[in-house]
Every structure is written in C-alpha cells, then in structure tokens.
Amino acid sequence: MVQPAPAGRVPAGLLAAAVTLAAPAAAQNVSELRYSLDFQGPLMGLSNPAGVPITDADLIVRNGPPFAPVQPRIVLPGQFLDQYSSCVGHAPGVACGLEINAISFGRDARLRPSPLYEFSVYLSVDEFAVGRPTVPPTPIPTIFSEAQRQEAAGDIYVARFVGPGPYPNLPAQSFGVADGDGEPSSPLTNSLIGLGLVEPIVPSPGVPETGSNLDSIDLGPPFDPLTDTLFFSLEGGIPRCNEPLAPVFDAAAQQSLPTGATARSADILSFQAGGSVELYADASELGLDFFGGDRSDDLDAIVVVENGTPGYQAPTGPFSWVVGPNPTDLVLFSLRCGSATLGQPDSISGLPISEGDILINFGGDQRPGIWIPAEALGLETIARGGMANDDLDGLDTLDGQGEPFKDCNDNGVEDLVDILSGTSSDCDGNGIPDECEEPGIVVCDCAASANAACGNTAGAGEGCENNVGLGGRLEGLGTSSIDTDALELSVSQVTPNTFGIVVVGEVNTSVTVGNGRLCLGAFSGVPNTPVRLAVEPTGTTGAFTFGPGILADVGSSPAGSVVSIGSSIGFQLWYRDNGGPCGQPSNWTNALLVLLTP
C-alpha cells in the first residue's frame, strides 16, 4: 500500500514503488573506499603519511588499523587539475579554486527493473544536515543521531532499496557504516570503521571549520592509476547557503578543456592517466543550467555507470541503460544548495527538487526527475530556522555485483544491511552481526591490585595468580546462539591435575574468595544462584574445554528462566589451588559475560 506523502513536499502523483531493507546476492571481497574533503577542514595543507600535503582535489583512503587516528593516504593526487601546482599546501578555509565535489569510476550499480532487484545507496552529508529521527530510536548511528553530536559530516551512511525506481517520497532511514574518526569497539557503543578525519565539526557561518566534511565518496575495487577513469565535478561560484562568510570561488571555471572552453560546475568531467581533463556530460545533457542560466547549478554528488562506448549516451527513459540493443549510460546526481534548479518541480512526480534528492535526466529534458527522494534517505526536506534543507554531499550505489564495505561474515552483504533486514541478529546493538563476534566479553580480571586477594595480580583478562604463577583464563568459543547451543568455555592456566567447578550467575558482585575474586551473584528473582553446572578435571596442562550444550544445561537448572534472547549471563570457574599465594586452597578464573542471541 502506498502511504501518504510526508509534510513538506507534496508530489503530483505518488509512484507505486516501495523502499525496503533486504539482503542482496553474494559478492566477493570488501570494497576500497575513496573520498575527498571540503576545502575548509583542518586536514587541508597537512602532510599525509607520504609527506604530501592533502588538498581538496585529492582522492584519499583510510590508512592504518580501523580505529587508529591516522591521517588518510592519498591514492590519486589532484595534480591533473590546472590549479593544483599553485594550490597544493593551501591552508584550511583558503579558497584556491581546486575543490572536487563529486567522484565516480563509472562502475556503480547498474539499476535494473526487476521487482526483486536490490541495491544500496551510500551517502554523506554536510555539517548543517539534521536528518530525520528514527522511531523508535536505534543504537546504530543515523544522520539524525550523528547531527546531535555534530559529527554527521564526517560519516558515511547506507540505505537499502528493492524493486525498480523511481521511488516515492516515503520516510525511510540511512544508517552509519563509517565514522569520521572511528568509534571504539565495545558492546556499549556502535563499532564503525574510522576514516582518519577530525570530529566534531561545529556548524558555523565562516571558515575554517573545526572538523572534516566528506565531499565525495566512491566504493569499488582498489584504484588502478594506470587504467581507471575518474569521473568528477568541480565546485562552482555559487554562494554557500548556510555559510555567508565563506569565500566563494569557481573551481570549474579555472579548469581548461581540450576545446579551449572552461568547465562548468554542472558538467561531469573525466580523467585517465596519460590524458587530459575532458568533458564527459554537459550540464544541458543533465537538464541543468536552464533556470538560472550558465553556471547557475552545481553538481554535488554523482553516480556513473559507463556502457563502454566513448562519450555520454544519455538515458532515453527508465532503464534504457539495461534494455534494448544499445544500452545507454546511467548518471544519477544531486545538486548543491544555491543551485537555480532547486525548488523547481521535477519532471517525474512534480515534487519541488531538494538538495537531498538523487536526480536523473532523460534525453536532455530541461528539468531533472527525482529518482530517489531525500525522504527515502532519512534527510530533512523542510527548511528550519532560516537554514536550507539537508544537503547530500557524497553518493555511491552498490548491488550484488559489487563488493560491500563491511562484510564480516563474507556473505556479500553489508553487515548493517544484514542486521536491518533480519538476516543477522545484533542483540547488543553495536552494528556488528552477532555471528561475527566472540561469544562473550572477559570481565572481572585481576590486573589491578585492588582486585587481588593478597597482592597476587595477574595479566589483563586473567583471574588472580595461582600456585603455578599464572592467572586462570576463561574465554568463549563458538557462538552465543540459543538455537545452535554451540557455546563453549575454554579454560587455561589453572592448577593442573585437579578439578574445577563451572558456575553460572549474574555479574553483579566482586568479593575475595580463597586466592581469587568471585564476581557472580544471584540473578534477580532467581533463588539458589549462582548455579554449579559441572565438575571438570583440569588435566595435566591445567586446561580444558566445556561445551557445547551449555545453554541446555543452564535451562534445566534453577537459573533456566534466564535463557532468553537478549539476556546476559556470566560464567566463572572455581578450582583447587593448594599452596596458592594467599595460603588458601582455591582460586577463580576471570568471568565471561555472554549476551544470548537467537
């Protein structure tokens, strides 16, 4: 059923297509993410790891471990632009006429008319975006939640679509898949790969900016500098709506073309190694620069699907890029705030065009059409307090023929899409499919002297030191799934040739017992807990594995009622430790806290 249009934009006729979340067909590996930055951010002019200053025309990639605050690495410097040599090293906020607004390598998702076709839209926004709240709220970051922290502009989000477009302006949501500076991996926070950027970014009418603003994004196979063709657009001389004190410059007008003309900010340009910057798609072929005249529109993001024939063959109608004897190219795009075409009725549904919409043009029509509306991406289209609508800054599309950005279970599906479509559970709400996480986290160790029975500290993740000079370790193996009951407890570094008792309870206390530390107490409302599950020999090496079938054992115990999806239960091992450091006959391993999943 088609729902009523949300307040703010009323279409001439709603389109019978649905926006949903689902899982695509399998792909292979994880994509490389390339991106560029706005000229105002603090990384401008700083040397990247190779010693070259970062500019607003460089394509960069994340550098180093996922959460390391390391500056990104340049994979394609902007030296193919006329202004590069005079601008390289410019300071943040200095308008030098270099900024690249949009990028693609021509290999984006070739959208198809099948009702079962599925694809993802990846996007970034500027620092003034507010987003639409998710009801009910979710712990996974959204544009709205990141905007509350003033960190929306450095992040990348994904929205999932199924069926043929164009799509109606029904409210939907985009969820975070990459974070500007990276959030720590923890069950209490969402775990997103960091991009080496600076956050937060405080919205301001002037320059420079306090943080980084992603200006363009692209996912795909690793960049090949010898064979890949870059499609891009340059900043135009249109004032920035929410930044009246920011300098205005026309980078496009300073870029020469082989014809002797200069580029326009609504043109799509191309570059390949060994060649020059050339015109790929003219502004008029995209339905731009008609309402306000020459250089009145500015492309802010693009998707390009090249058909292999030189030059731009514009779509002649929906899906002309996949049907017929001579498929056309496919170009999708959005416009920067201040463009003259914004506010005009689009050519498909009659909606006023917004800077958050993803647009298409068929055959040079003087009005682009809205293929994916801003509402379906979780963007706000109602002007508030004199501010412009949410601006879509970076854009890419990916389907089952491409490779996801984060795919921990190697099923060819973006991890977040797995979670949102229900094909993977995420009981702790940290944005990682439960099947990819170790079953449980180590708690209650004896690394601090305050936790040791008699000063017998041990390493992180270990119980207190025992009679062999080590701290007993308890770790989880398998999964925390109730359905599979494949959880196993791995015990090591305990006293050999004796026995231990596996105990289950709630991690809610910390008391000295024997030579160690007990951290399990009774579950709320469950008498006679902690519960002894089993007595196990420690063997000649002081190590053994207990399970699977543990959850069935717990279920048949007095604590059986706690075995439910989303419940947290703790495990610990009590073991004989004659001759231990504190003169007591027993000790404890660390505890393992397990969140039960479906």
Side-chain angles (χ1 to χ4, degrees):
M1 175 182 295
V2 175
Q3 301 294 322
R9 301 198 300 174
V10 180
L14 283 175
L15 304 170
V19 179
T20 64
L21 292 163
Q28 297 78 37
N29 301 310
V30 176
S31 285
E32 178 183 75
L33 171 66
R34 283 84 54 159
Y35 46 99
S36 67
L37 301 174
D38 183 279
F39 81 102
Q40 303 177 67
L43 292 185
M44 291 297 105
L46 296 182
S47 295
N48 85 316
V52 179
I54 294 174
T55 77
D56 41 330
D58 299 330
L59 269 62
I60 56 181
V61 298
R62 180 177 61 84
N63 185 54
F67 306 107
V70 179
Q71 286 184 15
R73 173 173 58 88
I74 298 174
V75 293
L76 179 62
Q79 57 194 19
F80 52 88
L81 297 180
D82 292 346
Q83 285 294 106
Y84 183 80
S85 60
S86 59
C87 287
V88 64
H90 76 75
V94 172
C96 197
L98 199 60
E99 186 172 295
I100 285 181
N101 267 1
I103 59 172
S104 173
F105 284 95
R107 298 185 292 251
D108 302 326
R110 191 178 296 274
L111 309 183
R112 300 181 183 277
S114 167
L116 300 179
Y117 177 73
E118 303 161 2
F119 69 101
S120 297
V121 172
Y122 294 79
L123 66 146
S124 66
V125 297
D126 72 8
E127 69 269 29
F128 297 95
V130 297
R132 288 172 172 253
T134 300
V135 180
T138 170
I140 300 174
T142 64
I143 297 168
F144 178 81
S145 67
E146 290 301 285
Q148 303 302 301
R149 303 172 56 199
Q150 298 182 327
E151 295 190 358
D155 299 350
I156 297 176
Y157 310 87
V158 64
R160 191 67 182 163
F161 294 83
V162 63
Y167 300 91
N169 63 327
L170 302 181
Q173 194 56 265
S174 297
F175 296 90
V177 292
D179 184 80
D181 59 5
E183 299 186 30
S185 180
S186 162
L188 301 178
T189 61
N190 189 274
S191 178
L192 299 182
I193 289 178
L195 304 178
L197 307 183
V198 178
E199 293 183 318
I201 178 170
V202 180
S204 168
V207 295
E209 290 175 339
T210 59
S212 304
N213 179 11
L214 280 171
D215 211 17
S216 64
I217 60 173
D218 183 83
L219 292 94
F223 171 66
D224 187 332
L226 298 180
T227 62
D228 282 345
T229 298
L230 173 67
F231 301 90
F232 67 100
S233 181
L234 292 168
E235 172 82 0
I238 298 173
R240 300 190 173 216
C241 298
N242 299 321
E243 300 173 285
L245 303 181
V248 177
F249 62 93
D250 193 339
Q254 298 183 60
Q255 178 59 45
S256 61
L257 300 174
T259 60
T262 58
R264 294 178 294 182
S265 56
D267 293 338
I268 298 179
L269 311 175
S270 66
F271 170 76
Q272 188 175 37
S276 58
V277 172
E278 298 186 1
L279 177 65
Y280 174 69
D282 182 270
S284 62
E285 294 178 289
L286 303 178
L288 302 177
D289 281 358
F290 285 108
F291 290 101
D294 192 47
R295 302 181 186 276
S296 62
D297 287 321
D298 191 351
L299 288 174
D300 210 15
I302 59 174
V303 159
V304 177
V305 183
E306 241 298 312
N307 64 3
T309 301
Y312 177 54
Q313 290 80 50
T316 55
F319 304 103
S320 64
W321 51 89
V322 291
V323 298
N326 298 300
T328 65
D329 297 314
L330 167 63
V331 167
L332 302 174
F333 55 94
S334 74
L335 295 175
R336 182 165 74 80
C337 178
S339 296
T341 298
L342 295 175
Q344 300 294 332
D346 87 296
S347 60
I348 295 176
S349 58
L351 284 170
I353 295 172
S354 164
E355 50 265 62
D357 293 330
I358 299 176
L359 308 173
I360 192 170
N361 187 265
F362 299 122
D365 192 319
Q366 293 188 9
R367 288 183 300 153
I370 299 174
W371 192 258
I372 300 177
E375 291 88 343
L377 301 170
L379 298 173
E380 182 58 82
T381 59
I382 302 174
R384 68 280 174 194
M387 306 295 286
N389 301 335
D390 286 358
D391 190 90
L392 190 157
D393 247 8
L395 177 65
D396 199 7
T397 55
L398 196 70
D399 61 15
Q401 303 303 310
E403 300 169 346
F405 177 50
K406 287 180 66 181
D407 183 18
C408 70
N409 54 15
D410 291 326
N411 67 345
V413 181
E414 190 75 42
D415 289 343
L416 190 60
V417 174
D418 270 335
I419 294 168
L420 297 173
S421 61
T423 56
S424 290
S425 61
D426 180 27
C427 285
D428 56 9
N430 68 349
I432 302 173
D434 289 331
E435 67 267 26
C436 297
E437 298 187 89
E438 292 185 3
I441 57 173
V442 171
V443 295
C444 184
D445 66 16
C446 202
S449 58
N451 297 326
C454 60
N456 55 329
T457 56
E462 301 175 355
C464 296
E465 184 184 15
N466 53 32
N467 62 6
V468 294
L470 300 171
R473 292 181 63 90
L474 176 62
E475 300 171 284
L477 302 174
T479 77
S480 60
S481 167
I482 294 175
D483 287 344
T484 62
D485 198 1
L487 177 65
E488 296 181 68
L489 302 179
S490 173
V491 175
S492 60
Q493 300 184 179
V494 300
T495 304
N497 299 314
T498 184
F499 68 93
I501 299 176
V502 178
V503 177
V504 61
E506 185 172 359
V507 180
N508 60 7
T509 188
S510 175
V511 294
T512 297
V513 177
N515 298 320
R517 179 186 180 203
L518 169 64
C519 290
L520 301 186
F523 292 106
S524 178
V526 181
N528 302 318
T529 53
V531 172
R532 298 186 179 192
L533 287 185
V535 178
E536 293 289 324
T538 61
T540 59
T541 61
F544 65 89
T545 299
F546 175 58
I550 294 174
L551 299 183
D553 291 343
V554 177
S556 62
S557 76
S561 61
V562 305
V563 180
S564 62
I565 297 170
S567 293
S568 294
I569 60 176
F571 296 94
Q572 202 167 0
L573 182 80
W574 174 92
Y575 63 97
R576 286 290 186 186
D577 187 29
N578 288 315
C582 306
Q584 300 296 315
S586 65
N587 207 330
W588 296 84
T589 64
N590 59 279
L592 183 74
L593 180 63
V594 177
L595 182 70
L596 300 184
T597 59

